[in-house]
Amino acid sequence: DAKTTQPPSMDCAEGRAANLPCNHSTISGNEYVYWYRQIHSQGPQYIIHGLKNNETNEMASLIITEDRKSSTLILPHATLRDTAVYYCIVRDAGGTSYGKLTFGQGTILTVHP
Amino acid sequence: DAGITQSPRHKVTETGTPVTLRCHQTENHRYMYWYRQDPGHGLRLIHYSYGVKDTDKGEVSDGYSVSRSKTEDFLLTLESATSSQTSVYFCAVTSGTGTRQYFGPGTRLTVT
């Protein structure tokens, strides 16, 4: 699976949009970009994933650049409960990967009042 | 939470003793995983299973063994616990290689 690079930490004001970047310049054509987050001491929680097109769900939006070498997770109206570690993961969706995830260090997002 | 439970949730044990952690799921997911998480680190894969009796090693499998005799249970065993295995252990499941993983609440293991 391709390696990802994320900033170690970011801050955001409550109510504002949080934009979390991820670089995955070695991504291959059959690899998806996944985002998970981990709120203190809990198990990671799935947020969103995408292949090429931008994706949106009830939690967030995922913007993937046209060359697929980077992406941005957007939390449109951050709340204090969004304070967490956010992991960007590139994963092969093929059968030989067995669905395994490789976690990096992630980005610690702190939302301030 | 995809019906995932882990037991025990907390355990303190002594060096050299065997320990078994259990992951139980109720929704018939095919794939199951064990990860460990240490302070300042992301999760690291220990072992995974892609079906009953089908398991394989992850990146940090030394000192651990697993078994899956039925779909709903995935056991992680530390044959002889060491202090370096003090960690938080997470179980995860997924139904397909292209789908999301659901994580359990974690087991905090302390080896003294």
Side-chain angles (χ1 to χ4, degrees), chain B residues 9-63:
Chain B
R9 294 292 315 278
H10 301 271
K11 186 171 182 66
V12 179
T13 191
E14 292 185 349
T15 298
T17 60
V19 176
T20 295
L21 309 182
R22 180 186 185 225
C23 176
H24 178 78
Q25 55 133 335
T26 59
E27 298 187 4
N28 235 24
H29 293 284
R30 178 182 173 188
Y31 299 88
M32 299 185 73
Y33 312 84
W34 277 107
Y35 295 88
R36 63 177 285 174
Q37 185 171 34
D38 303 299
H41 290 80
L43 282 72
R44 291 181 291 171
L45 182 65
I46 306 172
H47 280 278
Y48 62 100
S49 169
Y50 47 95
V52 173
K53 292 187 169 34
D54 292 322
T55 64
D56 206 347
K57 298 177 180 180
E59 68 174 299
V60 290
S61 59
D62 286 349

Side-chain angles (χ1 to χ4, degrees), chain A residues 32 34 36 38 41-46 49 57 87 91-105, chain B residues 31 33 35 37 40-45 48 50 57 59 88 90 94 96-105 108:
Chain A
Y32 285 73
Y34 281 76
Y36 285 76
Q38 187 175 24
S41 297
Q42 298 179 19
Q45 175 191 25
Y46 167 86
H49 76 282
N57 63 20
Y87 297 100
R91 193 180 100 179
D92 186 346
T96 57
S97 74
Y98 298 105
K100 294 178 288 182
L101 296 176
T102 301
F103 286 83
Q105 298 295 312
Chain B
Y31 299 88
Y33 312 84
Y35 295 88
Q37 185 171 34
H41 290 80
L43 282 72
R44 291 181 291 171
L45 182 65
Y48 62 100
Y50 47 95
K57 298 177 180 180
E59 68 174 299
V88 180
F90 290 100
T94 187
T97 57
T99 61
R100 69 183 73 173
Q101 284 191 16
Y102 297 93
F103 285 79
R108 184 173 297 275

Side-chain angles (χ1 to χ4, degrees), chain B residues 56-94:
Chain B
D56 206 347
K57 298 177 180 180
E59 68 174 299
V60 290
S61 59
D62 286 349
Y64 302 95
S65 62
V66 290
S67 66
R68 191 171 179 200
S69 60
K70 46 187 178 177
T71 299
E72 58 266 36
D73 288 325
F74 192 30
L75 304 180
L76 177 70
T77 297
L78 292 65
E79 300 290 348
S80 177
T82 67
S83 59
S84 64
Q85 294 176 312
T86 292
S87 189
V88 180
Y89 291 85
F90 290 100
C91 171
V93 302
T94 187

Side-chain angles (χ1 to χ4, degrees), chain A residues 4 10 13-15 17 20-21 24-25 31 33 36 57 60 66 76 95 99 102 104 108 113:
Chain A
T4 61
M10 295 183 66
E14 189 176 21
L20 290 85
H24 32 79
S25 58
E31 289 181 317
V33 179
Y36 285 76
N57 63 20
E66 193 170 341
T102 301
I108 301 171

